[in-house]
Amino acid sequence: IQDAPDGGTGWREKLTKTLVDDGFIVLDPCKSECNHSLATTMEEQKKKLENLKRGGEWLVWDRVLADIRRSDLTCVNSSKVLILLYDPNKKYGGTIHEIVEAWQKGIPIYTVSYQPLTEFNDWILALLRDNFKNGGKVFHNFKQLTDFLTEEYKEHIQKFGAGFDIEKAPKKPETETTK
C-alpha cells in the first residue's frame, strides 16, 4: 500500500467486484477503518503518515501504524486465503508481515505477478513456494487467478450460494501440475 501510487486500491477494487459477483466474501485492508483514521482516501492517509514521520510526531504515528498492523493481520487471520499482487520492483513492508503470518498459519497464498519467479526476492519466493504445500499458487494475471478460484470452489459456491464462506470449503488435493 505504501509504495503503490493509488494506495493499492485499484487492483483490489476490481478483483473484489469480480470475486463478490462470483459469491466470495472479501476482506479488503484498504477498506479498514484504521486505514482511514487520518484521511478519507488511502493516498491522503499515506501523505499524512509521511508528514507525521517527517514532523517527528512519533506517538501519533506509532498509534496509527499499530492500529493498521493489527487490522491487516486480523484480516489475514480471519481469511482462508491471502491474495497478493507481487511486483519485485516495489518496496514491501506490511505485505511481508502478512505473507509470513499466512505462511505460519498454513493459509494458502494466491500470488499474482507479471514478473517471472526468477525476479522475486529470494526470501519471499521461498515462503511462497513453501506455501504450495498449503495450496498456495502463483498466477501470471488476475484472469488466471479468478478462473482458478471459480473452478476450485465451484461446487461449494453452487451448494451454498452467494456469500460463500471459503472457511468451510473443502481443500482439493494438490497435484504437481497445479504448482
Side-chain angles (χ1 to χ4, degrees):
I1 290 174
Q2 184 176 356
D3 200 29
D6 66 353
T9 58
W11 72 269
R12 285 180 175 89
E13 287 172 359
K14 290 177 191 169
L15 182 60
T16 295
K17 181 178 178 352
T18 300
L19 293 176
V20 167
D21 288 349
D22 287 345
F24 290 90
I25 296 171
V26 177
L27 299 176
D28 180 351
C30 292
K31 303 281 187 210
S32 174
E33 189 175 304
C34 70
N35 275 324
H36 299 283
S37 60
L38 299 175
T40 56
T41 68
M42 288 301 297
E43 289 183 31
E44 202 50 41
Q45 173 93 349
K46 285 171 37 177
K47 286 178 191 172
K48 290 191 176 198
L49 281 169
E50 186 62 28
N51 288 339
L52 288 171
K53 240 184 350 186
R54 291 182 189 281
E57 296 289 332
W58 296 113
L59 292 178
V60 176
W61 187 88
D62 288 343
R63 180 187 50 79
V64 172
L65 262 290
D67 288 346
I68 291 170
R69 277 194 324 272
R70 194 171 18 263
S71 174
D72 287 4
L73 293 179
T74 297
C75 281
V76 171
N77 288 308
S78 299
S79 300
K80 292 302 165 190
V81 302
L82 175 67
I83 296 176
L84 163 69
L85 173 60
Y86 183 72
D87 178 348
N89 299 310
K90 298 281 185 194
K91 296 182 281 185
Y92 290 98
T95 300
I96 293 170
H97 196 165
E98 293 159 13
I99 290 168
V100 170
E101 187 78 8
W103 172 78
Q104 287 178 329
K105 304 280 172 138
I107 298 169
I109 303 167
Y110 298 142
T111 305
V112 174
S113 183
Y114 299 101
Q115 303 296 325
L117 295 178
T118 55
E119 299 300 314
F120 280 43
N121 169 282
D122 287 348
W123 197 271
I124 291 173
L125 181 59
L127 291 172
L128 295 176
R129 289 187 50 76
D130 190 55
N131 188 260
F132 288 172
K133 69 183 176 214
N134 297 314
K137 299 189 182 336
V138 176
F139 302 92
H140 299 291
N141 56 57
F142 283 104
K143 174 91 170 89
Q144 287 180 347
L145 169 68
T146 56
D147 287 350
F148 165 78
L149 290 172
T150 301
E151 183 61 30
E152 180 77 4
Y153 300 105
K154 175 175 61 179
E155 291 174 21
H156 196 81
I157 291 171
Q158 288 171 347
K159 184 175 179 181
F160 296 102
F164 161 65
D165 185 351
I166 205 162
E167 181 172 329
K168 296 181 178 120
K171 282 192 176 183
K172 289 187 177 179
E174 183 179 341
T175 64
E176 189 62 36
T177 59
T178 61
K179 291 183 183 178

